Amino acid sequence: MINFNKKDWWKEAVIYQIYPKSFQDSNGDGIGDLPGILSRLDYLHKLGVDALWLSPVLASPQVDNGYDVSDYQDIDPMFGTMEDMRTLIREARARGIGILMDLVLNHTSDQHRWFREACKGRDNPCHDYYIWRDGVPGALPNEMRAAFGGPAWTYVPALGQYYFHQFAPQQPDLNWANPAVRQELYKMIRFWMDEGVAGFRLDVIDQVGKDPDRQITANGPRLMEFLHELNRETWGGKNLVTVGEAWGADIPRARQYSAPDGSVFSMVFQFEQMCLDHEADKWVPKAMTLPELKASIARWQQGLHGCGWNSLFWDNHDLPRIVSRWGDDGELRVDSAKALAVALHGLQGTPYIYQGEELGMTNAPYPLEELRDLESINAYHEMVEKGMPEADALAAIHRMMRDNARTPMQWTDGPHAGFTSGTPWMMVNPNYTQINAASALADPDSVFYTYQKLIALRKAHPVFVEGDFTLLCPEDEQVFAYLRRGAGQELLAAVNLSGRSAPFALPEAFAGCEPLLATQGAPQAGVLRPWEAQLYLREL
Ligand code: TEU
Ligand code: CA
């Protein structure tokens, strides 16, 4: 069990992400909630994870599923009460599980008290909490676009001003240049620290130093100054885990963000790998080869070794399901889900598992009326307006849409997959009759038990945490193989990331070694079967 008082405990931890709206409903309103999560703690404990990152559960009009916060110090009634949150923190901790809150500090909801005050007049004390530019209707301050479509500026007639928003118009950006804003946020973070959370995930945190006049969003001029202050005023020196979401991070920046002196965050989510198979416009596909993916992973493994810390993930609530994306969600679904799991969990860093990944849950190519995310719905309409045939637009959306990850958790083969006794807020993937937690738990060969084993191995062998990284056969188009060396051990991962058999010879040092883990039974000499994965360990 993790000792949360130990410095850098998160280097040994595996973190599980929960999208609360879709995890488990407890009261039949069709929406997942905190008591629902509470009722599944034993399942998570069985999997073996050390911490849960909850996507936002704070008061919110839910325009962007909680990433539009209207009160940072209250739980949204749809999810439960402050008391439910305290119970969850306590009960999770009793099982050795910490809770990470998701902090959305770049913007608030337009229904937050600060923004409603800000709109009352230019001399309101909250006015300068947001970013305003004078203007007249129809003449935008500049041509910046918002992430979910449309301009990044919205006009407020009563003020004769535009406010800036990188996301939906209902998500106005906070003005971090105003010290009063920063102090309000720090105070709120200390409130949650006092409630006993184990850490925080920080939404789009590399965008808080923005400079809209120069059209800079990520990595703005004052970003590092703000992040150092944020750290000093809150978790600095306190053994919490912090992970910043940083789409704009390259390796040098990630070294700063995850500096071993703890002056910023424990680690960041960077997205270099997860952007390799599409153009800058994520709806436009781009061919990705395995050598490219491996080279990118290797650069980050080596680039942060000893001077930073990686987060490891294939999935989250913004990405399509990995088994559909880079695996096989048809006949070889189970094997490919295991292969992807092994490939990731052998690396150095803190692994994240997104709810349902441990079951090999798949994408959800639903008809338009069953989609829920404003990003995909807006993008669909933009494509159709530009003249794309409806069927093509829908197909483009399906590939990368965030809704793929947001379908209700599949617990059983019963009504609504055991997610709710009512009508789910979003359609359950019809494949729940085959893919669900109950059947995974009953099958010793399920994806679930591969994840369970990987988590246990990370805790049993220090090389998982400490070892360095050497990529083997970089040009191989099918096999991802690497060595990790450290703590007096050497680990070999050999994974066939393709649906065809692949020749693979064990390095000499491992000849005759029994595998530590093998996803398809006894290894065959000289070959990896389709989507087969093996780990080997030797003492040095
Ligand atoms: O995501 C940041 C972000 O940049 C993504 O929305 C990204 O633009 C999109 O997924 C890829 O096209 C964070 C949250 O994870 C996301 O859920 C929120 O919608 C967003 O911030 C705004 O808070
Ligand atoms: Ca509910």
Side-chain angles (χ1 to χ4, degrees), residues 359 411-413 432-444 446 449:
L359 306 175
W411 293 106
T412 70
D413 63 4
Y432 75 92
T433 49
Q434 270 80 53
I435 306 172
N436 61 71
S439 66
L441 289 171
D443 173 6
S446 67
Y449 290 112

Side-chain angles (χ1 to χ4, degrees), residues 168-424:
Q170 298 90 337
Q171 293 168 295
D173 271 52
L174 282 166
N175 178 19
W176 272 64
N178 179 350
V181 169
R182 305 201 301 274
Q183 289 303 327
E184 292 269 17
L185 295 174
Y186 304 155
K187 197 167 72 189
M188 173 277 286
I189 294 170
R190 292 191 293 261
F191 166 86
W192 283 108
M193 287 170 49
D194 290 342
E195 290 293 336
V197 300
F200 302 102
R201 177 261 188 189
L202 295 108
D203 193 59
V204 293
I205 198 66
D206 63 343
Q207 291 169 215
V208 299
K210 63 227 145 196
D211 181 349
D213 296 321
R214 293 197 289 153
Q215 307 210 18
I216 295 173
T217 53
N219 307 314
R222 294 185 67 189
L223 179 64
M224 288 318 292
E225 172 200 337
F226 291 157
L227 297 185
H228 283 129
E229 181 188 83
L230 165 64
N231 175 289
R232 275 198 312 275
E233 297 269 349
T234 58
W235 57 74
K238 298 252 190 348
N239 288 336
L240 295 190
V241 59
T242 49
V243 48
E245 187 199 25
W247 287 76
D250 53 14
I251 291 173
R253 287 197 177 95
R255 280 189 193 133
Q256 288 183 287
Y257 296 141
S258 63
D261 66 1
S263 58
V264 185
F265 305 122
S266 315
M267 65 194 112
V268 287
F269 291 129
Q270 57 83 14
F271 292 87
E272 186 177 296
Q273 290 85 48
M274 304 325 286
C275 291
L276 288 174
D277 66 354
H278 58 74
E279 301 290 346
D281 174 352
K282 79 172 194 179
W283 309 113
V284 181
K286 186 167 99 184
M288 177 191 83
T289 65
L290 185 59
E292 269 177 291
L293 174 64
K294 294 191 293 188
S296 169
I297 292 174
R299 257 198 324 275
W300 281 85
Q301 286 287 297
Q302 288 160 354
L304 297 195
H305 181 71
C307 57
W309 193 252
N310 273 295
S311 60
L312 310 170
F313 64 99
W314 289 134
D315 276 307
N316 69 28
H317 65 294
D318 292 334
L319 300 172
R321 292 283 183 180
I322 197 63
V323 71
S324 297
R325 187 178 189 180
W326 293 343
D328 175 347
D329 63 6
E331 216 180 312
L332 300 180
R333 183 184 64 85
V334 168
D335 283 325
S336 72
K338 290 177 182 175
L340 288 157
V342 174
L344 193 77
H345 284 245
L347 298 172
Q348 185 173 43
T350 299
Y352 289 76
I353 301 171
Y354 178 69
Q355 66 180 46
E357 180 186 334
E358 78 282 13
L359 306 175
M361 276 176 63
T362 68
N363 278 354
Y366 295 171
L368 186 66
E369 58 278 12
E370 299 294 345
L371 302 187
R372 294 290 176 268
D373 180 19
L374 81 166
E375 183 188 59
S376 24
I377 297 169
N378 290 351
Y380 171 86
H381 290 300
E382 270 184 31
M383 289 178 199
V384 171
E385 270 159 36
K386 284 187 188 141
M388 192 185 271
E390 290 179 5
D392 296 358
L394 196 59
I397 296 300
H398 281 162
R399 185 172 169 272
M400 282 301 295
M401 67 179 186
R402 310 193 297 183
D403 279 327
N404 283 316
R406 299 179 177 185
T407 61
M409 181 73 175
Q410 293 163 209
W411 293 106
T412 70
D413 63 4
H416 308 306
F419 163 70
T420 179
S421 58
T423 306

Side-chain angles (χ1 to χ4, degrees), residues 99-132:
I99 300 286
L100 274 64
M101 299 279 292
D102 202 322
L103 292 178
V104 189
L105 308 182
N106 176 73
H107 45 271
T108 68
S109 160
D110 63 345
Q111 298 307 307
H112 194 289
R113 184 184 60 83
W114 299 338
F115 191 71
R116 287 196 277 118
E117 287 293 312
C119 289
K120 287 184 181 162
R122 293 180 182 221
D123 48 11
N124 188 286
C126 287
H127 184 263
D128 192 40
Y129 277 34
Y130 296 88
I131 298 169
W132 301 93

